[in-house]
């Protein structure tokens, strides 16, 4: 598939499907050359969406086409409403069975996300609440349901694959009510001016709304830009302000954009500095880069990705106590499988074996199909010379089904087989 940047189709598919209404808006243009360009644009956009294999993109594109014809055929709107509903259900069922394992994985994510929402249903957990709490909720789910069919589908998840559930997690039902009120106001604005640029804006918002049901488009800047433009177009067409009010609004927007740009440039320079430090550290200069990391810590101390990177570099350089402290700060902001492994390694190096077992146990419940946590538990028991639990871990590893074939997994399994054979030889010699 055509994945776009970061080997992920969501970004490129969302950009294409959100652009589709602008091509549709020109199919009835009075100039034939513009109509031809719009048709060519639609073909390119639809082809790109299909090639990306983004199910959210395909579903959103189908809804945009349904809504477009619904808006143009005023005399048969009831029929188009029925066809739209049937089409939405049919396409959803088809896309579910197209990649059933992936769809079931999202059902697991939504189920665990709902348990996070129920912890603070009205006001939510604040910005970043999903990152901070989701993986712990997934671990709790597998502790309660060790035989769940979702075990092989679990992964290290950092997005809810549904923007509405993400909103409820961060801001609770209060945030959801605000969103519904905003949607009602925009719908009313469209009813006041349902043609021209308002139609295009409404279709753009519809594509964003549908795509948001199954993905995370608001992680990309183009979504915020197109959503903001569409909202402004709808409101200005429906409630055209006086010239003086327009000037005030334009000045306010300009000042906000200047402020955001200055902040973004400042942030960008800090993160470019972080990139340079991380690159040098990966090149074998970890010890030399630690003072630079410490300096950046004062500016990026609330960024969980920086904290994880900093903790990992401290671990490499042998500063295990400091690495554990930074890792625990990161864990508060972002519950994560790899952070648990990192903190467990720090504890093991500090000979805090019981604490290491707790972190490894949590990592194993977060992603119960992974072999590394069980293997590290085995190594932890080996340091304690606990042969009973070593045997138990070896048995658990040998019974575990393989989700993804890899050299590391086969190495772990081979080592456990050798250990079991060695134990059998010792026991048989003992009996003799």
């Amino acid at each position: 598939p055509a994945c776009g940047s970061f080997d992920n189709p969501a970004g490129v598919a969302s950009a294409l499907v959100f652009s589709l209404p602008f091509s549709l808006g020109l199919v009835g243009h009075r100039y034939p050359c513009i109509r031809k360009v719009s048709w060519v644009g639609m073909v390119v956009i639809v082809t790109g969406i299909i090639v990306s294999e983004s199910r959210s993109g395909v579903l959103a594109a189908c809804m945009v086409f349904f809504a477009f014809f619904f808006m143009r055929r005023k005399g048969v709107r009831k029929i188009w409403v029925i066809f739209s509903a049937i089409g939405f259900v049919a396409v959803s069922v088809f896309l579910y069975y197209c990649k059933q394992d992936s769809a079931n994985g999202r059902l697991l994510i939504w189920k665990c996300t709902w348990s996070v929402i129920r912890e603070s249903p009205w006001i939510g957990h604040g910005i970043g609440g999903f990152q901070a709490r989701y993986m712990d909720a997934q671990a709790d789910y597998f502790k309660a349901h060790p035989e769940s069919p979702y075990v092989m589908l679990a992964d290290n998840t950092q997005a809810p694959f549904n923007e509405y559930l993400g909103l409820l997690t961060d801001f609770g039902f209060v945030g959801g009510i605000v969103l519904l009120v905003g949607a009602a106001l925009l719908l009313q604005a469209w009813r006041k001016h349902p043609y021209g640029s308002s139609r295009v804006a409404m279709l753009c918002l519809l594509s964003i709304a549908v795509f948001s049901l199954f993905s995370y488009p608001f992680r990309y800047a183009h979504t915020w830009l197109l959503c903001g433009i569409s909202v402004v177009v709808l409101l200005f067409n429906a409630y055209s302000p006086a010239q003086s009010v327009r000037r005030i609004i334009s000045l306010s927007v300009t000042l906000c954009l200047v402020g955001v740009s200055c902040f973004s440039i400042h942030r960008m320079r800090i993160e470019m500095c972080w990139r340079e430090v991380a690159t040098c550290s990966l090149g074998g200069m970890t010890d030399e880069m630690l003072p630079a990391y410490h300096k950046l810590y004062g500016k990026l101390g609330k960024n969980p990705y920086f904290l994880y990177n900093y903790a990992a570099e401290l671990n490499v350089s042998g500063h295990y106590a400091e690495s554990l402290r930074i890792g625990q700060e990161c864990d508060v902001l972002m519950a994560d499988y790899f952070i648990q492994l990192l903190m467990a390694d720090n504890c093991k190096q500090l000979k805090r074996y019981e604490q290491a077992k707790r972190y490894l146990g949590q990592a194993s419940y977060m992603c119960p199909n992974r072999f590394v946590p069980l293997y590290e538990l085995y190594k932890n028991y080996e340091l304690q010379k606990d042969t009973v639990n070593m045997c138990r871990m070896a048995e658990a590893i040998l019974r575990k089904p393989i989700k993804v074939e890899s050299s590391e997994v086969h190495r772990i399994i081979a080592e456990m087989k050798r250990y079991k054979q060695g134990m059998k030889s010792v026991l048989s010699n003992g009996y003799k």
Side-chain angles (χ1 to χ4, degrees):
C3 293
S5 59
F6 305 108
D7 194 31
N8 190 330
V12 66
S14 63
L16 289 170
V17 75
F18 301 162
S19 304
L20 184 60
F22 297 94
S23 289
L24 282 172
L26 296 173
V27 294
H29 201 278
R30 57 181 177 175
Y31 294 116
C33 60
I34 293 179
R35 290 201 298 271
K36 291 177 182 177
V37 169
S38 69
W39 279 105
V40 170
M42 272 193 292
V43 171
V44 171
I45 288 170
V46 171
T47 303
I49 294 169
I50 293 171
V51 169
S52 73
E53 295 185 7
S54 169
R55 290 162 296 166
S56 303
V58 171
L59 187 60
C62 290
M63 288 305 299
V64 167
F65 280 116
F66 273 120
F68 176 73
F69 290 109
F70 167 74
M71 291 175 179
R72 289 172 64 89
R73 301 291 186 270
K74 294 183 179 179
V76 290
R77 284 191 173 183
K78 289 184 179 179
I79 297 175
W80 276 108
V81 168
I82 296 171
F83 273 110
S84 296
I86 294 172
F88 183 83
V89 173
V91 173
S92 299
V93 171
F94 171 76
L95 293 175
Y96 171 80
Y97 285 104
C98 185
K99 291 183 180 179
Q100 192 169 352
D101 284 347
S102 176
N104 286 334
R106 296 191 184 191
L107 292 176
L108 166 66
I109 293 169
W110 294 343
K111 183 179 293 188
C112 295
T113 302
W114 182 247
S115 69
V116 176
I117 292 170
R118 285 187 300 176
E119 292 175 7
S120 181
W122 288 107
I123 60 173
H125 300 281
I127 297 174
F130 181 88
Q131 272 190 327
R133 296 177 181 271
Y134 173 78
M135 287 303 292
D136 288 331
Q138 184 167 291
D140 291 340
Y141 176 82
F142 287 117
K143 285 176 186 176
H145 306 88
E147 303 299 324
S148 170
Y150 294 122
V151 163
M152 294 301 290
L153 303 175
D155 205 348
N156 191 42
T157 303
Q158 295 299 326
F161 289 91
N162 184 304
E163 293 287 8
Y164 306 105
L165 289 178
L167 177 75
L168 293 176
T169 303
D170 290 351
F171 303 107
F173 289 116
V174 172
I177 292 169
V178 171
L179 177 66
L180 288 174
V181 171
L185 291 174
L186 291 174
L187 185 61
Q188 185 179 3
W190 173 69
R191 289 170 67 88
K192 281 180 171 287
H193 189 279
Y195 43 83
S197 57
S198 291
R199 178 183 296 166
V200 173
M202 197 64 187
L203 288 173
C204 183
L205 290 175
L206 174 65
S207 66
I208 293 172
V210 174
F211 200 95
S212 296
L213 284 168
F214 307 102
S215 191
Y216 40 85
F218 282 94
R219 288 197 171 195
Y220 302 98
H222 61 259
T223 306
W224 290 95
L225 179 64
L226 291 173
C227 185
I229 291 173
S230 299
V231 168
V232 169
V233 167
L234 280 172
L235 294 178
F236 268 61
N237 285 343
Y239 311 103
S240 183
Q243 191 67 29
S244 58
V245 176
R246 288 192 179 195
R247 288 175 183 171
I248 294 171
I249 293 173
S250 300
L251 180 61
S252 301
V253 170
T254 302
L255 291 174
C256 287
L257 289 174
V258 169
V260 169
S261 299
C262 291
F263 174 79
S264 299
I265 291 170
H266 174 69
R267 186 75 175 184
M268 196 184 306
R269 294 176 69 177
I270 294 173
E271 295 200 2
M272 287 172 67
C273 181
W274 172 24
R275 184 198 62 185
E276 293 174 4
V277 171
T279 303
C280 292
S281 186
L282 287 171
M285 301 172 60
T286 300
D287 291 333
E288 293 87 341
M289 291 297 108
L290 287 182
Y293 268 110
H294 182 71
K295 185 177 179 181
L296 286 169
Y297 175 67
K299 301 173 182 177
L300 295 172
K302 296 300 181 183
N303 184 327
Y305 300 104
F306 170 79
L307 292 174
Y308 175 72
N309 179 218
Y310 186 19
E313 297 301 335
L314 286 166
N315 174 272
V316 169
S317 64
H319 296 77
Y320 303 115
E322 183 68 7
S323 176
L324 179 60
R325 184 183 69 81
I326 299 295
Q328 288 170 338
E329 288 184 23
C330 181
D331 188 42
V332 172
L333 298 174
M334 182 176 70
D336 183 88
Y337 166 81
F338 295 104
I339 293 170
Q340 305 302 314
L341 295 181
L342 177 61
M343 291 191 295
D345 186 70
N346 287 321
C347 291
K348 184 175 73 173
Q349 299 296 338
L350 295 168
K351 299 184 179 180
R352 302 178 187 175
Y353 300 121
E354 293 303 316
Q355 193 175 356
K357 283 191 284 186
R358 287 197 295 272
Y359 288 130
L360 290 170
Q362 185 72 352
S364 181
Y365 281 118
M366 283 180 170
C367 297
N369 49 54
R370 303 285 180 94
F371 282 76
V372 172
L374 296 182
Y375 177 69
E376 290 298 329
L377 277 168
Y378 165 85
K379 302 298 286 185
N380 199 67
Y381 288 126
E382 185 179 34
L383 291 171
Q384 294 179 286
K385 297 181 172 52
D386 186 346
T387 54
V388 173
N389 279 311
M390 286 173 67
C391 289
R392 185 169 61 86
M393 288 298 107
E395 288 286 354
I397 289 171
L398 293 174
R399 286 197 307 267
K400 182 179 284 294
I402 300 174
K403 179 182 178 181
V404 179
E405 299 282 348
S406 71
S407 58
E408 183 182 25
V409 168
H410 288 294
R411 178 187 63 79
I412 291 171
I413 291 174
E415 184 177 339
M416 295 302 100
K417 286 180 178 178
R418 288 195 300 271
Y419 173 74
K420 291 291 291 181
Q421 289 171 356
M423 290 298 295
K424 286 181 181 177
S425 299
V426 170
L427 290 172
S428 62
N429 290 333
Y431 286 128
K432 290 177 183 178

